[in-house]
Amino acid sequence: MTELLVSTKKGLFVLDGEPGEAFAPGARAFAGEPVEHALRDPHSGRLIASVTSAFYGPKIWYADDPEGEWNEADGVALPDGGDAALERIWVIATGEEDGTLYAGGDPGVLFESRDAGATWELNRALWEHKAQEDWQPGGGGLCLHSILPWPGDPDRLTVAVSAAGVWLTEDRGKTWRRGNKGLLARYLPEADQEQSTALCVHHLERAPLRPERMFMQFHGGVYRSDDAGESWTDIGAGLPSDFGFPIVVDPTDPDSAYVIPLNADMDRVTPEGRVRVYETRDAGASWSARGEGLPQQEAYLTVLRQAFCRCAGGAPLELYFGATSGDVFGSGDAGASWFTVATRLPPVHAVTGAR
Amino acid sequence: MAVIRVREPLKKLAGGQSEQAIDGTTVAELLRELERTHPAIGGWILDERGQVRRHINVFVNGERGEESTAVGADDRIDILPAISGG
């Protein structure tokens, strides 16, 4: 059985099912509240969710049972008395060690928990970079949205910020440096495109079997790094558009990745009214459309950066994505064919899954 | 002492009490004292800058107030979510 956690503008929905059939609706938590991201920590089995109340601010919550009591985590805040407030937690990620979790948010902040989400601590070193440098927010805010541990090495971590680019640490967050060589900010004046640090990364994923390889969906451009983020190569040729938000990597094949192109910066919907996932099996040298079972007429969907996932633990590879239309789609055969998981949910912010 | 009145979910965080008599001379002082008395409410009304969150309204005797609004011993302060959303 696959469990999907669908974070939406109006609450968290837990869906259960098997690939190929509509999933059964289960629990709904945080009714009416914007849930940005949720996951089930594979180490502890605990559910962790980030919720940004329009009234009461961003919080992280944890629970063992989605229908049971949710507890508010401690420490999810910026230093008191400063000139900034935490706006939103965009993403939660599991670390390499039992009990370790990370959370990223706006304004460009990283938090770490070492007790499975009950308490959190701000990463001060990255916060100091943000405080001293001129980080520019993207359209969704100054969001730290991608957190990539290094398999087997808890000291190494990569994060990405829109629009402050890629940041690398090799000493568990004590020091950070940029990893942006090769990224081209086409949305800036030509003279500034190569030197700018205002880099609007949309999403970043690491290939677990080859950790030095990462794939990136940029704000205009799809990139690959084979040197742990030191440099990036554009691999967007062959896509109908190199604009989009999410990207997913096949955990069993470091040459395989998936994107969902949107028309363009100024028209963020699926091209030609057709919903298609694009797959590469050669590390971005070529791309193939995978649309069997997906809407192919009059379907103008927007898929957000956290709304496309691979299902942890599944073999063959299961893929799931949700759209702001409230539709959720899945594939039980690594993207070869797709089925409808759910329809008419609130706008989908994020999808995560586990078997 | 002034009286602060809250509704759910703040009431639960304030120990289940919808009304609290609290000492203070401004709205900010009262809210900080409320947080000190009931730590669970920390971060729900005031943000890290000490500002009332954007979509929370504070009324002092029925009139819109802000952090610096003076309050007296017999005043009534209502904390309410704003009319907003989508």
Side-chain angles (χ1 to χ4, degrees), chain A residues 156-210:
Chain A
R156 302 185 73 169
L157 195 66
T158 302
V159 302
V161 183
S162 172
V166 177
W167 290 83
L168 313 169
T169 181
E170 289 155 7
D171 55 12
R172 197 159 186 165
K174 294 184 181 69
T175 61
W176 295 87
R177 59 193 170 84
R178 294 179 186 272
N180 296 322
K181 185 180 176 185
L183 299 178
L184 193 64
R186 299 196 311 246
Y187 45 83
L188 293 175
E190 287 185 7
D192 302 319
Q193 289 181 355
E194 290 189 36
Q195 287 78 33
S196 177
T197 56
L199 295 164
C200 192
V201 181
H202 280 187
H203 198 63
L204 198 59
E205 286 280 319
R206 191 189 301 282
L209 292 182
R210 186 176 167 182

Side-chain angles (χ1 to χ4, degrees), chain A residues 267-342:
Chain A
D267 184 21
R268 301 177 179 192
V269 298
T270 44
E272 303 167 359
R274 302 171 65 189
V275 183
R276 286 168 294 179
V277 175
Y278 278 75
E279 171 194 53
T280 179
R281 288 278 169 195
D282 50 17
S286 64
W287 295 89
S288 302
R290 297 284 182 252
E292 184 186 332
L294 294 172
Q296 296 300 302
Q297 288 186 324
E298 304 298 330
Y300 297 93
L301 270 54
T302 302
V303 182
L304 300 178
R305 72 179 89 235
Q306 311 293 358
F308 185 20
C309 75
R310 65 178 187 242
C311 181
L317 179 65
E318 292 178 41
L319 299 167
Y320 297 92
F321 69 91
T324 57
S325 62
D327 298 303
V328 180
F329 303 98
S331 171
D333 53 13
S337 63
W338 295 83
F339 65 98
T340 299
V341 173

Side-chain angles (χ1 to χ4, degrees), chain A residues 44-305:
Chain A
S44 66
R46 182 178 275 181
L47 291 156
I48 317 288
S50 68
V51 182
T52 303
S53 163
F55 309 106
Y56 306 115
K59 320 286 182 200
I60 291 178
W61 300 83
Y62 60 94
D64 294 324
D65 174 0
E67 293 183 288
E69 182 86 6
W70 286 81
N71 300 290
E72 183 185 349
D74 289 330
V76 186
L78 300 184
D80 277 337
D83 59 2
L86 184 64
E87 297 290 337
R88 192 188 304 187
I89 294 294
W90 276 80
V91 64
I92 301 163
T94 53
E96 281 302 292
E97 295 177 321
D98 279 1
T100 300
L101 293 165
Y102 297 99
D106 182 350
V109 291
L110 177 70
F111 292 91
E112 180 176 355
S113 170
R114 298 196 183 186
D115 58 7
T119 63
W120 297 78
E121 187 173 350
L122 176 70
N123 184 288
R124 293 276 181 165
L126 192 63
W127 176 245
E128 287 302 317
H129 277 286
K130 187 266 172 191
Q132 294 167 13
E133 299 164 14
D134 186 23
W135 288 14
Q136 299 294 311
L142 184 56
C143 55
L144 192 157
H145 50 68
S146 296
I147 304 170
L148 282 58
W150 187 289
D153 186 350
D155 287 344
R156 302 185 73 169
L157 195 66
T158 302
V159 302
V161 183
S162 172
V166 177
W167 290 83
L168 313 169
T169 181
E170 289 155 7
D171 55 12
R172 197 159 186 165
K174 294 184 181 69
T175 61
W176 295 87
R177 59 193 170 84
R178 294 179 186 272
N180 296 322
K181 185 180 176 185
L183 299 178
L184 193 64
R186 299 196 311 246
Y187 45 83
L188 293 175
E190 287 185 7
D192 302 319
Q193 289 181 355
E194 290 189 36
Q195 287 78 33
S196 177
T197 56
L199 295 164
C200 192
V201 181
H202 280 187
H203 198 63
L204 198 59
E205 286 280 319
R206 191 189 301 282
L209 292 182
R210 186 176 167 182
E212 69 277 13
R213 171 168 284 178
M214 290 182 281
F215 291 87
M216 175 195 293
Q217 174 68 65
F218 195 66
H219 185 112
V222 179
Y223 290 89
R224 190 190 77 234
S225 172
D226 288 338
D227 55 10
E230 299 294 340
S231 64
W232 297 88
T233 302
D234 191 346
I235 57 169
L239 291 166
S241 159
D242 62 5
F243 188 89
F245 285 99
I247 193 163
V248 167
V249 175
D250 185 338
T252 65
D253 179 6
D255 289 338
S256 294
Y258 302 83
V259 293
I260 304 176
L262 303 182
N263 217 13
D265 182 356
M266 303 302 287
D267 184 21
R268 301 177 179 192
V269 298
T270 44
E272 303 167 359
R274 302 171 65 189
V275 183
R276 286 168 294 179
V277 175
Y278 278 75
E279 171 194 53
T280 179
R281 288 278 169 195
D282 50 17
S286 64
W287 295 89
S288 302
R290 297 284 182 252
E292 184 186 332
L294 294 172
Q296 296 300 302
Q297 288 186 324
E298 304 298 330
Y300 297 93
L301 270 54
T302 302
V303 182
L304 300 178
R305 72 179 89 235

Side-chain angles (χ1 to χ4, degrees), chain A residues 9-10 54-59 61 69 72 76-87, chain B residues 7-10 12-13 40 42-45 47-49 53-56 81-84 86:
Chain A
K9 188 178 179 180
K10 300 292 180 186
F55 309 106
Y56 306 115
K59 320 286 182 200
W61 300 83
E69 182 86 6
E72 183 185 349
V76 186
L78 300 184
D80 277 337
D83 59 2
L86 184 64
E87 297 290 337
Chain B
R7 300 176 181 175
E8 296 293 2
L10 301 179
K12 181 181 179 185
L13 299 168
W44 284 68
I45 303 171
D47 67 19
E48 298 95 319
R49 298 167 295 193
R53 292 194 177 278
R54 190 181 317 152
H55 296 293
I56 289 183
I83 302 170
S84 60

